[in-house]
Amino acid sequence: MTPTVVLTGGSDGIGAAAARILTTRDVNLVIVGRSAEKTRAVAEETGADFHIGDFARLADVDRIATQIAADHGSIDVLANNAGGIFPGPQITEDGFEKTFQVDHLAPFLLTHRLLDPLLKGGGAVVNTASIGAKIFGRLDLEDIQTLTTFSANRAYGNAKLANILFAKGLHERFGAQGLSAVAFHPGVIATSFASDGGTMMNRLYQGAAKRLLTSPQQGGGTLTHFISGTPGAEWASGEYYSDRLRVARTNSAAYDPEVVRRHWELSEALLQRRGWL
């Protein structure tokens, strides 16, 4: 049976590169992107189904998840690849810090909405994290959104750490039901990532150093490795991998089961207060 792959952040960068690679394989591909123009272009090129939405609006996430669940009785892979780094703090219309929402709460909600088809398909969740979790992450569970100690780098590092904690939490909670989950660092990629001005990352990714960065095609290949790889063979559920496709060390908080549990519960509670879960 042809596997179904849902890929967020599929309109640009490593997501678009992965979509192009996946067209050479036997998959039913569904891409999700923020830019209508770019998303449609990648969908036309790859033959993928597509949905357009902004992860800074949870109503978009809810709508997309409802549509995907209605269209697909089972899902083999959900690749949570959308994300970014933003100056601020900025508060979204949903009342959350933007980097935290786009990078973590939105994929957290999307995954929860798609749990039934994922479990039915014995599926896998692949989270695009970052080495930034180790370099910049300074997690305070009393300030989970990094509001009182905000810097763009710290908020991004904590959000990418959240992606890793989420993969570990999925493995612990649903592994026995057949769900696998992994997080990985795709490399320091030359894409439109960090295109919002006002951050050190913007100067790195969009400035003179851009020519030194890894290509989107290479990062897309890394993403595709985890999308197409078999859990238990090519990668181990609950782990974090480097761009060299090896299990790697990350922020020490990721190895504390209590942090994994509490971060999940706090994320869940934030969404429940707003009526999303």
Side-chain angles (χ1 to χ4, degrees):
M1 186 174 177
T2 303
T4 295
V5 174
V6 178
L7 170 61
T8 73
S11 64
D12 201 359
I14 70 170
R20 294 182 181 104
I21 296 170
L22 288 167
T23 61
T24 66
R25 308 182 185 186
D26 185 24
V27 300
N28 292 322
L29 180 60
V30 182
I31 63 171
V32 177
R34 180 169 63 92
S35 165
E37 180 180 3
K38 290 181 179 180
T39 305
R40 287 193 181 97
V42 174
E44 289 176 3
E45 179 184 351
T46 61
D49 292 335
F50 69 94
H51 299 274
I52 297 165
D54 187 346
F55 277 18
R57 291 193 295 266
L58 293 181
D60 284 10
V61 179
D62 183 63
R63 170 180 52 79
I64 289 167
T66 299
Q67 292 171 349
I68 292 173
D71 292 342
H72 302 280
S74 67
I75 295 171
D76 296 271
V77 181
L78 168 61
N80 288 316
N81 173 65
I85 181 172
F86 310 98
Q90 299 180 51
I91 304 301
T92 69
E93 64 185 46
D94 299 297
F96 304 115
E97 196 284 313
K98 185 175 181 179
T99 301
F100 181 74
Q101 176 168 323
V102 171
D103 287 39
H104 171 59
L105 279 185
F108 188 90
L109 176 60
L110 180 65
T111 305
H112 276 72
R113 287 281 193 266
L114 297 179
L115 267 177
D116 285 345
L118 280 164
L119 289 170
K120 184 176 180 180
V125 177
V126 176
N127 290 343
T128 301
S130 172
I131 197 172
K134 183 176 183 179
I135 298 172
F136 301 117
R138 301 292 185 272
L139 181 63
D140 178 358
L141 291 175
E142 299 302 315
D143 181 29
I144 192 173
Q145 300 188 61
T146 320
L147 282 168
T148 61
T149 56
F150 185 90
S151 74
N153 288 342
R154 181 169 181 171
Y156 175 73
N158 286 344
K160 293 291 101 180
L161 175 56
N163 298 153
I164 299 169
L165 296 171
F166 185 37
K168 289 181 177 292
L170 284 166
H171 171 72
E172 291 177 4
R173 291 168 182 259
F174 299 103
Q177 298 179 51
L179 185 71
S180 301
V182 69
F184 76 100
H185 170 57
V188 184
I189 310 296
T191 72
S192 61
F193 172 83
S195 57
D196 280 28
T199 71
M200 184 181 77
M201 288 284 199
N202 171 262
R203 293 188 290 275
L204 169 64
Y205 278 82
Q206 306 304 322
K210 187 170 182 176
R211 56 186 166 79
L212 303 176
L213 306 181
T214 304
S215 72
Q217 291 72 29
Q218 185 173 338
T222 304
L223 173 55
T224 305
H225 169 82
F226 292 101
I227 291 174
S228 298
T230 303
E234 282 81 10
W235 53 265
S237 183
E239 295 288 357
Y240 165 76
Y241 284 78
S242 73
D243 55 338
R244 296 184 178 183
L245 311 182
R246 299 172 184 168
V247 174
R249 293 292 296 180
T250 184
N251 193 296
S252 61
Y255 304 101
D256 185 336
E258 179 65 11
V259 172
V260 174
R261 182 185 66 81
R262 286 288 296 137
H263 196 280
W264 181 295
E265 291 174 347
L266 289 167
S267 301
E268 194 172 54
L270 286 171
L271 291 171
Q272 286 173 338
R273 286 190 205 119
R274 299 284 178 168
W276 293 113
L277 286 178

